[in-house]
Amino acid sequence: MQPRQLLPNLTFLDLYPPTADAAREVLSSLSAATPHLDPKYFYDEQGSALFDAITRTPEYYPTRTETRLLREHARTMARTLDTELTIVEPGAGGCEKARILLDQWQPRGYMPLEISRECLLDATRQLAPQYPQVQFQAVCADYSQALTVPTGHQELPRLVFFPGSTIGNFEPVARRTFLANLRQLAGDDGFLLIGADLHKSPERLHQAYNDSAGHTAAFNLNILAHLNRRLDCGFDLDAFEHQAFYNEDQQRVEMHLQCHRDQHVRIAGESLTLSAGTRVHTENSYKFSVEDFSRELVTAGFQPLSCWLDDEALFSVHLARAA
């Protein structure tokens, strides 16, 4: 598929997975011994809006903490990098944090990769006219595709930008693979700028994932609403309840949807029953120490350059180069 020219400095490439592929994937994951759903299905247009609401709650610290770190240290980062760059951002969402880098770094190119087509188009159509000197290449894709698409501006070093606490959504083995793939995406002369959430009290974590306004619960349930809209599964959202808790043994927050009565749904042309009492595992959010996460970067083929923390040591931002 060829990119479409939407604006003088904005192209759009649509690699969104076909509906049939998504249906088979969802059927397989819900039929597993431990039913689960891939967190990427949180992010349709409604899910992206709900996550934006979560980031503005008083309980949810990661977004505002990381944003403050980026604003305070972006110029120091630029001096450390000391080169013209193309920024590649898997899972860009509304590109809010990238705006900080666009303002202060003035890169030659920016490639946001996002699974929510509407969110991606809205964000880039607003951003591109504000930064006419930057070539925008918007790609609608999931992470696995995001790591294989051509990045353009091949003559310039690439900085892979992966903010937020999304790296904590990966299981340890999958995380090692994903970080190694980010190293491949960065290239031999590239860089990585990545956020990682840090260990803290279980009470603070419980509040962050069970906000009083109920936005996280709505976000969790929206994964079923999204699948209803996309695949016509027939989930009854009233039959499910949001659950989020800290698993101390695994050092992660887990999110689940508890089913209170039998649910009969149809996916990929097949019938599936989720019995009352079934818990569908929707997301993990692992927490790290700076030292442990730095070691993971080294294992993936990066050389850590700098790390920035807030005063409460709630969150970390790591800058690394390809080793």
Side-chain angles (χ1 to χ4, degrees):
M1 182 178 293
Q2 293 297 313
R4 287 192 290 134
Q5 194 78 37
L6 301 183
L7 294 170
N9 66 328
L10 170 61
T11 60
F12 173 68
L13 181 63
D14 194 344
L15 298 177
Y16 195 71
T19 297
D21 291 350
R24 285 192 290 270
E25 180 183 71
V26 169
L27 178 64
S28 176
S29 61
L30 288 177
S31 302
T34 301
H36 59 279
L37 289 168
D38 193 309
K40 69 186 179 185
Y41 292 114
F42 283 130
Y43 295 102
D44 63 346
E45 186 175 12
Q46 179 65 14
S48 297
L50 285 167
F51 184 73
D52 183 64
I54 291 170
T55 66
R56 301 176 194 280
T57 63
E59 298 95 337
Y60 192 80
Y61 58 86
T63 300
R64 62 175 174 270
T65 304
E66 183 182 42
T67 298
R68 186 165 60 249
L69 288 169
L70 291 171
R71 285 178 176 151
E72 290 176 354
H73 301 289
R75 294 195 183 280
T76 301
M77 295 172 188
R79 287 194 296 270
T80 302
L81 295 165
D82 191 29
T83 184
E84 286 192 305
L85 292 165
T86 292
I87 298 172
V88 181
E89 184 180 6
C95 307
E96 294 88 353
K97 292 172 186 171
R99 184 187 289 269
I100 300 170
L101 305 184
L102 294 172
D103 283 339
Q104 300 202 39
W105 291 7
Q106 300 180 352
R108 287 270 298 279
Y110 173 53
M111 175 179 276
L113 305 125
E114 171 58 40
I115 197 168
S116 173
R117 182 183 295 105
E118 297 82 2
C119 181
L120 178 66
L121 288 172
D122 287 348
T124 52
R125 281 173 167 152
Q126 291 181 40
L127 278 178
Q130 299 174 32
Y131 302 94
Q133 79 282 6
V134 179
Q135 289 299 312
F136 284 72
Q137 299 173 288
V139 180
C140 181
D142 67 25
Y143 287 147
S144 61
Q145 293 170 316
L147 300 177
T148 58
V149 295
T151 58
H153 299 288
Q154 296 291 344
E155 74 280 5
L156 292 177
R158 296 189 293 274
L159 178 132
V160 178
F161 183 42
F162 200 62
S165 54
T166 309
I167 192 62
N169 296 155
F170 292 87
E171 295 285 352
V173 172
R175 187 166 65 243
R176 287 194 290 273
T177 300
F178 184 73
L179 287 171
N181 287 339
L182 293 185
R183 165 63 178 82
Q184 182 179 352
L185 181 61
D188 290 341
D189 59 350
F191 300 87
L192 174 67
L193 184 63
I194 187 168
D197 201 5
L198 299 177
H199 296 301
K200 55 189 61 66
S201 73
E203 293 76 18
R204 185 75 180 262
L205 291 169
H206 179 83
Q207 292 171 1
Y209 290 83
N210 294 276
D211 63 279
S212 57
H215 293 312
T216 308
F219 175 73
N220 200 9
L221 285 163
N222 182 70
I223 198 169
L224 302 181
H226 177 202
L227 294 176
N228 282 348
R229 290 187 288 267
R230 181 165 163 74
L231 304 176
D232 193 24
C233 298
F235 288 108
D236 178 4
L237 271 62
D238 290 335
F240 292 86
E241 178 185 50
H242 163 73
Q243 293 184 346
F245 54 87
Y246 181 63
N247 183 328
E248 192 163 1
D249 290 339
Q250 298 289 334
Q251 296 188 318
R252 70 190 188 191
V253 173
E254 297 182 11
M255 289 213 311
H256 299 259
L257 290 169
Q258 176 87 38
C259 185
H260 293 305
R261 57 178 179 267
D262 289 357
Q263 279 283 285
H264 306 286
V265 296
R266 191 164 183 82
I267 307 169
E270 297 188 30
S271 297
L272 176 69
T273 296
L274 298 174
S275 302
T278 298
R279 286 201 313 187
V280 179
H281 195 162
T282 54
E283 187 178 62
N284 293 317
S285 185
Y286 283 86
K287 309 306 172 186
F288 305 94
S289 69
V290 170
E291 296 75 17
D292 286 346
F293 192 72
S294 297
R295 280 192 287 270
E296 293 198 20
L297 292 178
V298 171
T299 299
F302 289 102
Q303 174 191 347
L305 297 176
S306 297
C307 177
W308 295 271
L309 309 181
D310 60 287
D311 291 341
E312 295 183 80
L314 298 174
F315 199 88
S316 60
V317 175
H318 299 251
L319 179 63
R321 72 163 65 245

